[in-house]
Amino acid sequence: MNRNDYLALLDCYGNHFSISELEIQGPGTIDRMDIGFLRSFLAWRQWHGLSTMVSSAWRKGDPKSHGHGLAFDILLFDQWLVSQPSALQHWLLANTWGFRGVGLYFDWSYDNKNGKEVPAIGLHVDGWSGNGRSPRPLRWLRIDGHYYYQSLASGHFYCKSNKQSITLDEAIRRYGP
């Protein structure tokens, strides 16, 4: 696809992003995105209607979803750069759409309108089938740098490094806004 094709694609899904917003890792990186996943992501953005900031997309050298052009890391806002929806709303919006991978990050931050670093809830969404080692769909939380992966059987999240578990409700109560 050429630049005009991408502009037409963005227009088709409501013009919620510019090409440069999707090329956060550098000019021309939109060409590295899987076009089917990109369409799905744009349709999802149009569907949920929340202001969305892309913090990561295709990444060179990443052997996982970002390196395959099948992932976005994002921040969602009720009011642009001022307030975010709840962690539960982030979770429900991503899981309702049916992404293959969804991660909720309780340890992110962003620069607000006043140049101040503000704690934030980050969201990873992907369409990657995985590398065969992790079952898909894969759901996880990151809390204070620790990854907690969800059991498909119990729904609880477990961290191998600190050997602790947590439920989504507990994580939201403890760490969510």
Side-chain angles (χ1 to χ4, degrees):
M1 289 180 53
N2 63 38
R3 187 168 185 81
N4 287 334
D5 293 331
Y6 285 112
L7 290 171
L9 180 65
L10 295 173
D11 184 53
C12 178
Y13 289 100
N15 269 329
H16 298 289
F17 298 101
S18 67
I19 289 177
S20 64
E21 287 176 293
L22 300 176
E23 292 186 323
I24 192 131
Q25 270 67 33
T29 56
I30 196 168
D31 294 331
R32 303 289 192 143
M33 296 301 298
D34 177 272
I35 195 68
F37 177 72
L38 178 58
R39 285 179 186 276
S40 178
F41 176 77
L42 294 172
W44 176 70
R45 165 56 185 91
Q46 187 175 32
W47 169 75
H48 67 64
L50 293 173
S51 298
T52 305
M53 176 193 295
V54 174
S55 63
S56 184
W58 175 83
R59 287 196 294 236
K60 183 179 181 177
D62 186 332
K64 297 181 180 178
S65 56
H66 284 284
H68 291 273
L70 290 164
F72 283 101
D73 292 338
I74 58 173
L75 297 163
L76 300 176
F77 293 95
D78 284 330
Q79 187 181 357
W80 184 241
L81 296 181
V82 175
S83 66
Q84 290 192 285
S86 70
L88 181 59
Q89 188 173 358
H90 277 78
W91 185 257
L92 293 174
L93 287 173
N95 281 289
T96 300
W97 195 256
F99 290 110
R100 306 275 304 153
V102 174
L104 194 59
Y105 293 74
F106 290 94
D107 54 4
W108 279 9
S109 63
Y110 69 95
D111 289 330
N112 70 1
K113 292 179 182 179
N114 301 321
K116 181 182 175 191
E117 194 79 4
V118 177
I121 298 294
L123 184 64
H124 168 98
V125 295
D126 74 50
W128 191 43
S129 295
N131 55 12
R133 293 187 304 239
S134 305
R136 290 291 174 137
L138 185 63
R139 305 294 186 250
W140 66 93
L141 308 174
R142 190 175 79 187
I143 301 167
D144 297 329
H146 293 282
Y147 287 88
Y148 295 75
Y149 293 94
Q150 188 175 35
S151 162
L152 297 177
S154 71
H156 285 79
F157 294 82
Y158 179 73
C159 178
K160 290 180 183 177
S161 65
N162 68 14
K163 302 196 180 338
Q164 295 181 6
S165 65
I166 194 167
T167 66
L168 179 61
D169 288 343
E170 289 171 324
I172 289 171
R173 259 193 323 275
R174 288 186 205 170
Y175 306 101

